[in-house]
Amino acid sequence: MAKRGYSLVIHPKNSLLRTAIAIFFLTTLPVFAVLYWYTAPLGIWGWLLGFHLLLAVLCVLVSLRQTRVFSGVRDGALSGNGIFSPTVTVPLADVRRVVLVSTYHSYPSETSRQLVVMGKNGRALFRMRGQFWHTTDFDRFAHELGVEVVEESTIMHDVEFFRDYPGSAYWFDNRPGLRIMVVIVVVAIALAAAAGIVALFRIPVG
């Protein structure tokens, strides 16, 4: 997606969108195929189809939103957004340096490169995570800002990263309790929905 007036615009990896679509089909098609077959005598396939289509529409909307995620430079400022966050604009006059640093990812042997835009007050103004962006785009974006670019050689754990670069954490970062709570809520909603369907349509179980 081209953006008029920007001297540089980068977008997340296209593979993320393909992976998300593949996951949707691989997870929903087998489940709903079983539901269609199991509930066929009950005559509720229309309800299931409607719910299946609703999930598909939500997937399409999220996919369309993903195509609008970007980071760019224009008119003396950098701008960028996330799939679930609004566009943020940072004047280049407030930027002191750009730091490229690797952090450990999900597994001890797996690392992810981080791009952190640091302000004059020593706090992070903007951050991009390497698992979503191309490494070459990181380099292009960093140099386009026209400030000092620092490449850290030491790989950091999350705790060290958030300590050394205050303001870089997203609202869900460095909060394991919140992540556990989100998982519990999602599982509870799924179980409640399944129980509701069974009760509503009097589906025999066991």
Side-chain angles (χ1 to χ4, degrees), residues 26-139:
L26 290 175
T27 55
T28 63
L29 288 183
V31 172
F32 276 91
V34 172
L35 288 174
Y36 290 140
W37 174 81
Y38 188 72
T39 61
L42 303 177
I44 62 171
W45 67 269
W47 289 88
L48 290 176
L49 178 61
F51 185 60
H52 197 177
L53 291 177
L54 175 62
L55 292 179
V57 169
L58 293 176
C59 181
V60 170
L61 292 177
V62 172
S63 299
L64 291 175
R65 173 61 180 174
Q66 175 67 18
T67 63
R68 303 185 66 84
V69 175
F70 79 102
S71 291
V73 181
R74 181 183 69 173
D75 298 334
L78 68 90
S79 299
N81 63 356
I83 190 169
F84 298 117
S85 61
T87 300
V88 174
T89 300
V90 178
L92 296 185
D94 295 340
V95 177
R96 180 179 180 183
R97 71 182 189 279
V98 175
V99 181
L100 298 171
V101 56
S102 293
T103 59
Y104 289 106
H105 195 32
S106 303
Y107 303 96
S109 60
E110 185 180 355
T111 62
S112 176
R113 202 181 191 200
Q114 311 277 343
L115 184 149
V116 187
V117 178
M118 302 298 295
K120 297 178 179 179
N121 59 356
R123 293 186 61 84
L125 303 175
F126 194 82
R127 172 190 166 206
M128 291 189 288
R129 292 183 287 177
Q131 59 263 46
F132 302 116
W133 305 84
H134 293 285
T135 299
T136 53
D137 286 341
F138 263 17
D139 295 330

Side-chain angles (χ1 to χ4, degrees), residues 146-173:
V147 296
E148 178 188 13
V149 179
V150 178
E151 182 89 36
E152 292 285 356
S153 59
T154 303
I155 303 176
M156 297 182 175
H157 292 280
D158 285 346
V159 175
E160 298 172 314
F161 175 72
F162 296 135
R163 179 198 64 201
D164 292 350
Y165 302 97
S168 61
Y170 296 113
W171 63 270
F172 53 84
D173 280 328

